[in-house]
Amino acid sequence: VNEEISVKHLPSTEPDPHVVRVGWSLDSCSTQLGEEPFSYGYGGTGKKSTNCKFENYGETFAENDVIACLVDFECGEEVEMSFMKNGKWLGVAYRVRKELLGGRALFPHVLVKNCAIEFNFGQREDTYFSVPPGFTFIQHLPVAERVRGTLGPKSKAECEILMMVGLPAAGKTTWAVKHAAANPSKKYNILGTNAIMDKMRVMGLRRQRNYAGRWDVLIQQATQCLNRLIQIAARKKRNYILDQV
């Protein structure tokens, strides 16, 4: 199975503003590619990661590079995941035993920060680079061989919004995380500064460690992000848990 991703940078004032990580995850995984089990990513820093373990792999990539994501299901008892940069194969990144996947499908996954990307699942007349022998684009697979991901609510009337109420440190965030995990089909988006700061990781490490003495800066940034996320959430048909005092 193959897909191609082309990278474009968007303007930003940050010192390390552009992040792209591509790969594969189970439908049950979070959006944080490569930061939990069964989520396999390759980033522009030249690192591969799964379950928050970052290792050197391949080469760095940036604007105007094209990354092909390959999955080989026909190599015995394992599934092999590898990547290509501008037509050059970078070697096998991951080998996962099929019994561990338990028949669950792997889905294309991309994590971006201040980048625009273009996908080719096979819909383009021309590929960016030639496809290796034996691989085919996802879109060219028969529908019967594909697995649909979880469907979101059909209408706003079907959406759920849970609002946590309680004193600080009362256990609201813990309950929200557990409730979301216990109801995977709901695909709850947890909205709160705690959830945002947990995603503000650098190489899998929580950013709080890098903000000694500047905690107010982190809180301010997370609050600005939360306000923007709530604006976006109001326009989307999804299920939400609002976890904010």
Side-chain angles (χ1 to χ4, degrees):
V1 176
N2 181 46
E3 62 164 322
E4 291 181 315
I5 295 170
S6 178
V7 180
K8 289 280 185 190
H9 287 172
L10 300 180
S12 176
T13 57
E14 291 187 50
D16 184 22
H18 303 112
V19 176
V20 176
R21 196 181 299 163
V22 296
W24 308 87
S25 292
L26 298 184
D27 187 42
S28 57
C29 291
S30 77
T31 55
Q32 294 300 107
L33 174 60
E35 297 186 10
E36 59 188 277
F38 302 109
S39 184
Y40 307 93
Y42 162 45
T45 56
K47 302 280 186 181
K48 64 176 183 177
S49 63
T50 181
N51 200 21
C52 262
K53 295 186 178 73
F54 287 75
E55 300 175 27
N56 291 329
Y57 169 79
E59 305 172 358
T60 60
F61 63 86
E63 194 166 23
N64 298 320
D65 286 328
V66 176
I67 305 300
C69 307
L70 310 172
V71 181
D72 187 346
F73 294 97
E74 300 176 354
C75 49
E77 298 300 311
E78 294 180 319
V79 173
E80 285 188 354
M81 289 171 248
S82 58
F83 299 89
M84 298 175 70
K85 174 186 171 182
N86 300 331
K88 174 188 173 184
W89 191 60
L90 301 175
V92 174
Y94 303 104
R95 290 185 174 90
V96 184
R97 293 190 62 79
K98 291 179 180 177
E99 63 186 44
L100 291 177
L101 292 174
R104 294 171 295 179
L106 290 165
F107 288 83
H109 191 160
V110 61
L111 175 73
V112 296
K113 173 182 168 184
N114 294 323
C115 288
I117 53 172
E118 181 180 341
F119 293 94
N120 178 25
F121 294 115
Q123 78 279 6
R124 284 171 56 101
E125 289 187 18
D126 299 320
T127 61
Y128 293 105
F129 293 93
S130 59
V131 178
F135 287 90
T136 185
F137 280 99
I138 290 176
Q139 191 161 311
H140 298 161
L141 283 173
V143 173
E145 294 182 25
R146 303 183 219 165
V147 176
R148 179 183 274 282
T150 302
L151 289 172
K154 292 181 181 178
S155 66
K156 286 208 170 185
E158 295 179 19
C159 297
E160 287 186 23
I161 300 179
L162 306 179
M163 188 167 74
M164 307 305 300
V165 178
L167 294 171
K172 299 185 300 300
T173 299
T174 300
W175 187 93
V177 171
K178 285 184 177 179
H179 187 74
N183 298 273
S185 63
K186 297 282 189 180
K187 289 270 182 164
Y188 284 110
N189 289 108
I190 299 176
L191 302 179
T193 50
N194 282 341
I196 289 170
M197 286 189 288
D198 192 52
K199 290 179 171 61
M200 296 170 86
R201 294 173 181 263
V202 180
M203 295 288 291
L205 298 175
R206 293 169 67 90
R207 197 176 281 250
Q208 283 92 317
R209 300 180 187 179
N210 305 325
Y211 269 73
R214 294 186 295 153
W215 184 247
D216 56 329
V217 176
L218 185 63
I219 292 292
Q220 183 182 7
Q221 289 182 345
T223 302
Q224 290 172 347
C225 289
L226 177 62
N227 292 337
R228 182 75 182 112
L229 283 179
I230 290 174
Q231 291 175 355
I232 295 170
R235 302 196 302 266
K236 303 289 184 182
K237 294 194 287 285
R238 295 194 182 191
N239 297 315
Y240 296 103
I241 299 177
L242 185 57
D243 177 31
Q244 191 65 17
V245 177

